[in-house]
Amino acid sequence: MRISIIGSGYVGTTIAACFADMGHEVVNVDIDEEIVAAINSGKSPIHEPGLDDLIATHGGDMLTATTDYDDVLDTEITFLALPTPSREDGSIDTSIIEAAAESLGGTLQDKDGDHVVVTKSTVIPTTTTETLAPIIEAASGKTLGDNLHVAMNPEFLREGTAVEDFLDPDKVVFGAESDTALDTLHGVFEPLIEQTDPAIVDTGIEEAEMIKYANNGFLAAKVSLINDIGNICKEYGVDAYEVADAIGLDNRISARFLRSGLGWGGSCFPKDTAAIKSAAREQGYEPRMLDAATEINDRQPVRLLSLLDNHVDVAGERVAVLGLSFKPGTDDIRNSRAIPVIEGLNKRGATVVAYDPVATENMRERFPDIKYADSPKAALDDASAALVITDWPEIADLDDEFDTMSTPVVIDGRHAIDRRDGIVYEGLTW
Ligand code: UDX
């Protein structure tokens, strides 16, 4: 099939490369000429395992990038994969996707035959039907249901495993209310469905929009719930990981997303929980569970710092911060739990020496005045305490590197380090 994707960000580029790999002819439209040139020359504009290879294979061939919306006219279906950033109050700003819908609509004036427009971005229920569809209708002069169809197909990929997640998903959700939209979507995903046989959810457009928020809200709340339980465990000297191993055996709970510790960060969980909470309030509903999930998440770094305070007065002391990215396998520091931890250390007058295998440069923009070490050992040298923020394997493997600390206090926020002789070890929830 011939597919167009508007937006070459994280999701857009990944799905463009994956669709090309599934044998489709893909056009990726973006306003950024550098990104367009990179894709056409076979180079990935973002760092994601497996994506370089896919774009090297298909870029400039089955996958072409362009700044010209007219290239959409040769395609049957367009996915809108544009950012929906958070506003100050947590609600999403849809101006970028609305502008893209308007440009797309203008182009579709010249389209003969059916065209399906699919929202891939994460949007609040009714955005596709009540905001985007009218914009596309007005700009194209077409009427919904008559050669123009809209649908919603949420994306569940994770940073660091995006290609794998896209090509081998647990489920694919099609929010569509016309046969043309649904059949076209099924056609796009046919090769993937044949290969990996995921669960297919055929549902309404608003339901599809909500499924994405429910998915992320539920997972964020699951982590916060195990953190709440983990904090109680800690008060009684109980190991929350042993408790989680046992409750995870109950199929109704499941073993995944039960790692307690410093909590969740990244670009999706914080943004999506804030957005759905804000939307709920707009409707007059108080989302208590999701509020609590956020509150508990904000409290975990505070608890880590209070465990530190129990052992060391860090004013004027070197403190090693091990790991800066929001999770291992990425250089993304958005909403990383490292940020409130470093702020807390700065407030206490500590000399922060941070280490991360890949996220240092990103964190340097956020905190230009702290020290950055080239290795965990250099961060630990002469430090009065070490805080484990991200469970990178090379941090989990640390051993006699702790020997050169001036006082070997290690507070672990991720259950990464083994207790061992010679260090004073505290786990956040164990
Ligand atoms: C998430 C969703 O998983 C994905 O489906 C959605 O499309 C985007 O948001 P991502 O942000 O890449 O993906 O990260 P994920 O691996 O889900 O982890 C999210 C956060 O939760 C991380 O900060 C991680 O450290 C934390 N987490 C996860 C825990 O603290 N404990 C756990 O048991 C699992």
Side-chain angles (χ1 to χ4, degrees):
M1 280 177 75
R2 283 163 308 162
I3 301 172
S4 45
I5 292 156
I6 315 291
S8 302
Y10 195 78
V11 171
T13 309
T14 305
I15 67 170
C18 290
F19 282 149
D21 200 51
M22 282 155 60
H24 298 303
E25 254 176 71
V26 183
V27 176
N28 196 180
V29 184
D30 199 279
I31 49 169
D32 189 322
E33 289 183 2
E34 267 180 46
I35 291 179
V36 166
I39 294 173
N40 287 330
S41 63
K43 292 196 182 72
S44 173
I46 54 164
H47 298 290
E48 185 60 38
L51 198 57
D52 284 345
D53 287 349
L54 289 186
I55 294 182
T57 309
H58 303 295
D61 181 27
M62 291 295 276
L63 166 61
T64 54
T66 176
T67 54
D68 188 357
Y69 270 80
D70 281 349
D71 291 3
V72 163
L73 292 171
D74 291 331
T75 67
E76 295 150 63
I77 181 166
T78 303
F79 288 83
L80 297 171
L82 295 128
T84 48
S86 292
R87 293 204 198 92
E88 195 84 342
D89 65 356
S91 64
I92 54 165
D93 176 355
T94 51
S95 58
I96 301 170
I97 192 168
E98 285 183 41
E102 173 125 35
S103 302
L104 174 67
T107 305
L108 291 178
Q109 280 184 62
D110 301 324
K111 167 99 195 226
D112 295 323
D114 285 325
H115 199 87
V116 180
V117 182
V118 184
T119 309
K120 195 65 166 159
S121 309
T122 302
V123 293
I124 296 295
T126 73
T127 304
T128 301
T129 45
E130 290 179 16
T131 305
L132 301 176
I135 292 174
I136 301 166
E137 280 185 303
S140 65
K142 293 177 188 288
T143 310
L144 211 58
D146 180 19
N147 282 354
L148 176 67
H149 304 266
V150 292
M152 162 73 197
N153 169 229
E155 190 47 64
F156 302 98
L157 47 81
R158 291 165 297 172
E159 289 185 38
T161 49
V163 171
E164 198 184 308
D165 288 347
F166 186 83
L167 294 174
D168 189 10
D170 293 339
K171 61 179 177 290
V172 181
V173 177
F174 298 133
E177 281 153 22
S178 80
D179 289 344
T180 307
L182 192 58
D183 292 348
T184 312
L185 271 171
H186 273 265
V188 170
F189 283 87
E190 194 61 49
L192 186 151
I193 294 168
E194 270 175 22
Q195 219 171 358
T196 60
D197 194 25
I200 302 297
V201 181
D202 286 331
T203 186
I205 294 177
E206 278 86 21
E207 282 75 12
E209 291 169 326
M210 190 64 202
I211 285 167
K212 173 64 189 265
Y213 283 110
N215 216 93
N216 275 352
F218 204 97
L219 289 173
K222 185 173 184 186
V223 173
S224 283
L225 179 55
I226 197 63
N227 282 339
D228 206 22
I229 289 170
N231 293 338
I232 301 170
C233 289
K234 183 73 183 175
E235 297 299 328
Y236 282 97
V238 169
D239 182 340
Y241 275 72
E242 288 197 23
V243 173
D245 283 349
I247 64 171
L249 295 172
D250 188 323
N251 284 335
R252 295 168 300 175
I253 294 175
S254 110
R256 294 173 71 186
F257 267 68
L258 284 184
R259 283 178 287 114
S260 55
L262 264 175
W264 35 272
S267 64
C268 287
F269 284 4
K271 175 172 105 64
D272 292 352
T273 46
I276 200 64
K277 286 194 304 176
S278 164
R281 287 212 161 81
E282 227 168 78
Q283 300 300 320
Y285 179 75
E286 283 299 310
R288 298 243 165 100
M289 287 288 281
L290 292 173
D291 275 344
T294 310
E295 202 184 298
I296 290 166
N297 200 51
D298 290 343
R299 208 168 55 188
Q300 294 310 92
V302 177
R303 286 185 65 89
L304 182 92
L305 289 165
S306 75
L307 282 177
L308 172 68
D309 292 338
N310 292 344
H311 291 278
V312 196
D313 175 0
V314 294
E317 302 289 322
R318 274 170 76 95
V319 177
V321 171
L322 302 176
L324 298 171
S325 58
F326 84 95
K327 67 174 187 179
T330 176
D331 64 355
D332 194 343
I333 60 151
R334 282 176 290 176
N335 290 295
S336 169
R337 306 290 77 202
I339 295 170
V341 168
I342 293 171
E343 282 169 348
L345 290 171
N346 281 342
K347 253 193 215 138
R348 286 164 172 76
T351 301
V352 176
V353 190
Y355 170 76
D356 190 281
V358 295
T360 300
E361 290 318 310
N362 286 339
M363 198 55 101
R364 205 190 291 277
E365 280 176 31
R366 178 70 177 72
F367 292 106
D369 298 329
I370 64 169
K371 293 183 193 296
Y372 293 90
D374 290 339
S375 66
K377 183 175 182 335
L380 289 167
D381 267 347
D382 211 22
S384 302
L387 303 179
V388 178
I389 309 298
T390 318
D391 41 347
W392 285 101
E394 69 173 288
I395 291 174
D397 288 346
L398 290 173
D399 190 3
D400 49 17
E401 288 85 349
F402 293 111
D403 293 350
T404 57
M405 294 177 72
S406 65
T407 46
V409 172
V410 179
I411 317 284
D412 189 349
R414 295 290 179 190
H415 203 250
I417 307 282
D418 290 332
R419 284 177 205 276
R420 61 168 64 78
D421 289 343
I423 62 172
V424 177
Y425 178 89
E426 282 270 14
L428 189 49
T429 59
W430 57 97

